[in-house]
Amino acid sequence: MYLTVKQQLKHLQNKLTESEVRALREAIDIYDSNIHTGSEIVDTVLYQKDLLARSNNIQFTWMCDGSAVTFMEPSRLYALLSNAENAIEAVMPLPESKRVILLHIRRENSDAVIETTNYFDASIPAERGTSKQDKTHHGFGIKSMRFIAEDYSGSISTSQTGNMFFLTVRLPIRKIAAKE
């Protein structure tokens, strides 16, 4: 017999602690909260990052037209968007009032545009593009995003103003459609 997630939760309630049940209900509510952007890949990444953000008291806000990026190969789109975890790591050491990440995916003329904005600690030097101790295995997030963007004849730009970081990926939709 097939059980829905809510039915499974009901069966588990007797075996879980109250806080575990509350956490599961919150996860179900997030999943049911209409993360439907027009792209299953975008929906999946948003769901994953939203859970991670919530568990770290981070306000993660998005406005995403997933249909703008459906021309991308799913694994490339997933890799590109998964680097949003860099924004989560950047806001982690900040006070809760600065734990804010904005993600916007849209069509703009003939381009797909992906933008992230987040606070960061401008006093932490980021040698080789990372503030992590292990410089050998980290610091490739923006480099890999640039590689993906350029592979799609697109571009990536970053800027900062004070303690705000801005990242924009621009991918020409028409050029990609012409290649197919």
Side-chain angles (χ1 to χ4, degrees):
M1 178 172 87
Y2 174 75
L3 297 176
T4 66
V5 176
K6 288 184 180 183
Q7 290 170 328
Q8 290 175 21
L9 177 60
K10 216 176 219 186
H11 282 71
L12 288 172
Q13 281 180 323
N14 295 333
K15 299 176 184 174
L16 300 174
T17 67
E18 189 175 315
S19 65
E20 289 171 325
V21 170
R22 192 171 33 253
L24 280 172
R25 280 197 176 133
E26 185 176 310
I28 290 168
D29 289 343
I30 293 168
Y31 183 77
D32 286 343
S33 70
N34 295 325
I35 300 180
H36 303 290
T37 66
S39 164
E40 287 184 27
I41 301 300
V42 174
D43 295 349
T44 300
V45 172
L46 289 177
Y47 177 71
Q48 292 172 336
K49 300 311 174 195
D50 192 61
L51 283 175
L52 182 59
R54 284 178 188 240
S55 69
N56 288 289
N57 297 319
I58 296 169
Q59 181 185 339
F60 179 44
T61 304
W62 65 85
M63 188 163 56
C64 297
D65 174 7
S67 69
V69 290
T70 55
F71 65 89
M72 293 183 70
E73 178 189 315
S75 63
R76 309 282 279 180
L77 177 58
Y78 185 84
L80 186 69
L81 295 177
S82 289
N83 276 299
E85 197 156 321
N86 291 343
I88 290 172
E89 291 173 6
V91 300
M92 290 286 291
L94 303 177
E96 271 193 50
S97 64
K98 301 286 185 191
R99 291 183 182 186
V100 178
I101 300 169
L102 307 172
L103 173 65
H104 190 191
I105 300 174
R106 68 183 185 284
R107 289 178 194 267
E108 187 175 282
N109 301 319
S110 61
D111 292 341
V113 180
I114 302 168
E115 295 177 316
T116 61
T117 304
N118 59 274
Y119 288 99
F120 74 104
D121 184 348
S123 69
I124 297 175
E127 304 96 22
R128 290 200 41 209
T130 186
S131 60
K132 297 179 181 136
Q133 294 297 320
D134 180 3
K135 309 284 187 240
T136 305
H137 296 101
H138 295 286
F140 302 104
I142 292 178
K143 289 177 187 174
S144 68
M145 293 174 78
R146 185 176 314 281
F147 178 77
I148 293 168
E150 289 174 354
D151 195 42
Y152 281 91
S153 301
S155 63
I156 185 170
S157 62
T158 61
S159 63
Q160 62 188 58
T161 303
N163 61 349
M164 294 293 296
F165 181 80
F166 306 92
L167 179 137
T168 302
V169 178
R170 188 171 292 276
L171 305 167
I173 296 171
R174 287 190 182 153
K175 288 183 181 178
I176 301 309
K179 285 184 177 179
E180 296 175 352

